[in-house]
Amino acid sequence: VDVNRNATFRIMYSGHLGLAHEFDTVLDAASRLRDRRDLRFTFAGRGPQLPPLMARLVKNKSVPAAV
């Protein structure tokens, strides 16, 4: 197996950001793993949880975000 040591592993959530969805666990994990340059967390979607999710990402500057 040829493994690219510079590869990035992406952890992604894609879908409705609804009130029934819980994002604290994955955001806590992203914060704890922030020094891992080989990992990228991606959220794609819209819904009522988007504003609080974005607010937390902005507040915790240690968690990079792309909108």
Side-chain angles (χ1 to χ4, degrees):
V1 175
D2 182 21
V3 177
N4 181 351
R5 296 197 185 275
N6 296 321
T8 299
F9 185 80
R10 188 169 305 275
I11 298 115
M12 182 173 184
Y13 175 88
S14 176
H16 183 71
L17 303 171
L19 296 175
H21 299 96
E22 189 272 323
F23 295 101
D24 288 335
T25 302
V26 73
L27 292 175
D28 290 344
S31 182
R32 290 178 183 193
L33 296 168
R34 68 180 168 262
D35 294 332
R36 292 280 307 268
R37 300 293 175 214
D38 60 325
L39 299 176
R40 294 289 179 261
F41 286 79
T42 302
F43 295 87
R46 295 196 184 274
Q49 287 283 50
L50 182 59
L53 177 65
M54 292 303 298
R56 181 164 174 191
L57 291 173
V58 169
K59 180 181 173 185
N60 298 338
K61 296 177 185 176
S62 62
V63 181
V67 180

